[in-house]
Every structure is written in C-alpha cells, then in structure tokens.
Amino acid sequence: MRFPPLASAVDSIEPENAYVVLARAQVLERAGRDIIHLEIGEPDFQTDTRIARAGIEAIETGKTRYTPTPGIKPLCQAIASDISIRCQREVLPSEVVVGPGAKPILFLASLAVIEPGDEVIYPDPGFPTYQSMVGIAKGKGVPIRLMERDGFAFDLDQLRDRINERTKLIVLNSPSNPTGGVLSRSDLEQIAELARRFNCWIISDEIYSRMCFDASYAPTIAALDGMAERTVIVDGFSKTHAMTGWRLGFGVMPSRLAEKVSLLAVHAFGCTAQFTQFAGLEAITGSQDHVQQAMSEYRLRRDTLVNGLNSIDGIDCRSPAGTFYAFPNIRSFGRTSESLANQLLEEAGVAVLPGTAFGCNGEGYLRICFANSVENIQRAVERIKNTLI
C-alpha cells in the first residue's frame, strides 16, 4: 500500500528525551522496581491553593468561554506591568500574547520571523524544542556551545565567528535548561551588540527567570538599549508557580510582531482556556510567598545534590545559579552520557538524562533535576555512588 508523503520539515523532529526516559522508568516501576525520578523538569510542589481556587472559582462562575486570542485584558495588563519591572521600561498590554504554555509562543514567534534558509543561532546544550522549531520553520540551525569554565555561558568567540548577514534569529535561555547557568549582563551586552550590528531578532526564553539563587530575576537582554524592538521574551507559569498542567505561557514582543503572532495563534489554538488565565492572574497579582518558599527549598535540594555528587570520585558538578537542574561532568568515566544514564536507571533505579539529549555539546554530562525531596536526593546520590564506585 502506498501512503501519501509527509512534509520534509517533520522528518528531523526527535522526541523529547525526558519523556522517553520517563516511559522506560515507568515500565520498570510497573515491574516492581523502586525508581527515583530526577529526569522530568517539573516542580513536585502542588499549585498554590489561592491560584487553584481562582481557577476553580472561574469555572464555577462560567468563565469557560472563548477569549480574545492575545489573552484576557486583566492578565495582559498584569503581565505587562510585571515585565515592565524586569525590562525597566513601560511594556504595553498590546505587546503581550498569551498561549497554552510557553512552547506555542516559541513556535509561533519563530514562524513569524524565520524565512526558509535563514540561519538561527541557539545554545548547545539547550532545550531540544529550539532545534525543532527552527526545522519546522525551514531555517538553518547554528548551535553555539555553552562553556562550563564560564558558568555555561555562550562561547562568545564562537558566536562572533558564526554570526553573519544570513543570521535572522538568536535564541537565548537564561537561566538555562539543562545547565542551570545564568547569562551575566556583560555577556548579554556583547550579544546585544552583535544582534544590533547584524539586525537579528532575539527570542529570550525566560521560563526560569525567577528561579535564581542570587537575585530576584535573571537579567534580561530586553532591558538593554535598542533591544526592546527586536526581542521576544517567552515566559510562563509552569516552573515558578508549579502550574505545568495548567498550560499557561506568554510572549512579550514589539506590538507589530505581536499582531502577527496573534494571527498565527488564531489558527493554531484560537485562545487559551479562560479559567486558566484567571488562575494566572492570581499567580501574578497575589502573594508571592509560595515562590519564595519554593526557592528556599530548591536551594537546600541543590546544595544536597551538588555536594553529594562532588563527593563521588569522577564526578565534578558546578553549583547551578538558577533553575532546578544540575549538569555534572562525568567525562572521567570514559563513557558516553547515554550509556551512563542507562546504567543508572537500570542498575541504580535513578532516572536522569544524558547531556546529549540537549545537543552534541552535552556529551560528557548528565542532567539531574532536583525537583524532588531532600530524602530522595540523598537516596539517589547513595545509589549513584554505589553503582559507579
């Protein structure tokens, strides 16, 4: 039987490895194995009661209808006010587009700016969606390695060597998944200078912006001179507010681009669930105590994991400045990241991700998520030690 051909753009799409490892871990669990899950980047906290109640009340009062595609007015205004503080300028509600998660905004913004053949710079190791969204838009991906010695900052020498007149877009992610690195203002200024010189767009994935251990927010490139008109900030509620299943994200971008992204959104998903948006409104405008409490707990978990890993001969782990990920260097074992991650799952019952799940420059590393209890992290470290030593 002959089947109609698929579009060439989907040929290169790969699954997100975290879900592959999770599926394998769940198979082992069903067979009776005790698995410690450090693979999925999801807060283990429940959504704050006030936020959940706002969503429930919205449903109970009939807020289950279509909304304007860019988002309900109160939420767009609240997002604009919040991002105004981060960017140190007035952000208008017309610059905001709300979506069912941050990923749709990443994809739609990419489709709105990338022409076939345009070059797109993105971090490697980096979130695998970046490579996929470039491929779907028929752009040419140009990965730039992140440097461990510089706290997993962009290799600026490589960036200067690879950026050119064909470069249409630079993708940034700070704090970074998978490394936990945070780009300094100095690094952002150098990237901004290149973006202005070559007239590039910037997509700044700031989903972990509030998950910093040494500041309230990670610095954003959108706050620098001349960058507001060429930067798309992508953010959401999943990580900071433990709202992964609510599916609520947003983009902040120049109004002329927001209009086009909104048009794409009309045809992609129409609008975001109304009651979810009211939950997000409470998350932004209500008490932030739950965020501070979570970050305090993540700090304890980070220190427990990093200190534990560094006590194992052959593992060298930097303390991440943000996110809930550690990215230990395991090169001394002379093994591929994938083989070591597989061994830890199969023999130790500890689910982690190989660094190569985030690009070829992730070889020699593992990504370990510490969104789990201190007790489980301690158990995981002990299992890793007993397996590798």
Side-chain angles (χ1 to χ4, degrees):
M1 180 182 295
R2 292 184 63 202
F3 292 97
L6 301 177
S8 60
V10 302
D11 286 342
S12 61
I13 294 180
E14 299 288 342
E16 194 170 332
N17 196 260
Y19 295 101
V20 175
V21 175
L22 174 63
R24 176 56 186 158
Q26 290 172 334
V27 169
L28 293 174
E29 284 179 316
R30 288 193 292 271
R33 292 286 302 280
D34 175 41
I35 304 297
I36 302 174
H37 290 275
L38 304 180
E39 79 279 34
I40 289 292
E42 180 173 42
D44 62 324
F45 302 114
Q46 293 296 316
T47 304
D48 186 75
T49 302
R50 294 174 305 96
I51 298 172
R53 175 48 57 188
I56 293 168
E57 290 179 354
I59 294 173
E60 292 175 338
T61 56
K63 295 182 174 67
T64 57
R65 316 295 290 180
Y66 288 136
T67 75
T69 296
I72 60 173
K73 186 175 180 180
L75 180 59
C76 290
Q77 289 175 328
I79 291 170
S81 296
D82 188 61
I83 299 298
S84 293
I85 297 171
R86 197 185 307 179
C87 291
Q88 301 173 352
R89 69 171 181 87
E90 183 182 10
V91 174
L92 302 175
S94 62
E95 299 174 65
V96 176
V97 180
V98 175
K103 281 183 179 179
I105 305 299
L106 287 170
F107 266 90
L108 297 186
S110 298
L111 289 172
V113 302
I114 300 172
E115 297 276 11
D118 284 344
E119 294 189 3
V120 179
I121 288 171
Y122 61 87
D124 183 348
F127 187 41
T129 291
Y130 305 146
Q131 186 174 0
S132 294
M133 70 192 196
V134 172
I136 290 295
K138 294 186 179 295
K140 178 183 178 183
V142 182
I144 300 294
R145 62 177 173 256
L146 303 183
M147 303 298 289
E148 181 181 6
R149 67 170 183 264
D150 297 326
F152 292 110
F154 254 40
D155 183 338
L156 292 174
D157 289 334
Q158 189 178 68
L159 176 61
R160 294 187 189 96
D161 182 60
R162 295 191 177 183
I163 194 170
N164 59 67
E165 289 76 11
R166 297 182 300 278
T167 304
K168 187 67 168 292
L169 170 65
I170 301 172
V171 180
L172 304 179
N173 178 212
S174 177
S176 162
N177 175 16
T179 70
V182 176
L183 292 172
S184 68
R185 183 179 177 88
S186 174
D187 285 339
L188 292 175
E189 286 174 343
Q190 295 180 71
I191 295 169
E193 191 278 326
L194 291 169
R196 290 190 295 264
R197 186 195 312 172
F198 289 95
N199 198 28
C200 304
W201 285 97
I202 299 282
I203 289 181
S204 183
D205 182 352
E206 301 183 11
I207 192 70
Y208 299 98
S209 62
R210 293 188 61 186
M211 299 190 70
C212 290
F213 295 106
D214 300 315
S216 298
Y217 286 98
T220 176
I221 197 168
L224 303 181
D225 289 344
M227 296 307 295
E229 59 264 32
R230 66 178 67 251
T231 299
V232 179
I233 293 175
V234 178
D235 203 341
F237 297 77
S238 292
K239 313 300 184 178
T240 301
H241 298 285
M243 294 176 66
T244 50
W246 291 81
R247 307 315 303 139
L248 185 62
F250 61 86
V252 176
M253 63 202 79
S255 295
R256 65 186 181 90
L257 178 59
E259 292 176 4
K260 301 303 182 183
V261 170
S262 292
L263 286 174
L264 289 171
V266 166
H267 300 289
F269 53 78
C271 66
T272 304
Q274 189 179 25
F275 53 88
T276 295
Q277 294 187 60
F278 276 96
L281 179 62
E282 174 62 31
I284 288 184
T285 60
S287 169
Q288 302 299 296
D289 288 350
H290 63 286
V291 177
Q292 297 169 10
Q293 292 167 2
M295 287 309 298
S296 178
E297 180 64 22
Y298 284 136
R299 181 186 296 276
L300 177 60
R301 296 173 178 187
R302 176 196 67 171
D303 295 345
T304 300
L305 177 63
V306 170
N307 291 337
L309 291 174
N310 283 327
S311 72
I312 301 173
D313 289 341
I315 296 181
D316 181 18
C317 185
R318 286 176 171 266
S319 184
T323 73
F324 40 44
Y325 307 118
F327 204 59
N329 186 322
I330 47 87
R331 288 174 176 161
S332 68
F333 291 98
R335 306 260 305 280
T336 66
S337 298
E338 185 171 5
S339 69
L340 199 60
N342 287 339
Q343 181 186 10
L344 292 179
L345 177 59
E346 299 290 341
E347 297 182 15
V350 179
V352 301
L353 298 184
T356 46
F358 303 90
C360 63
N361 289 316
E363 184 59 87
Y365 297 88
L366 300 175
R367 194 199 77 172
I368 303 180
C369 178
F370 49 88
N372 207 323
S373 69
V374 168
E375 178 185 19
N376 280 340
I377 290 169
Q378 290 172 331
R379 291 173 57 224
V381 168
E382 190 63 25
R383 291 185 184 187
I384 292 170
K385 180 182 294 187
N386 291 338
T387 301
L388 298 181
I389 300 303

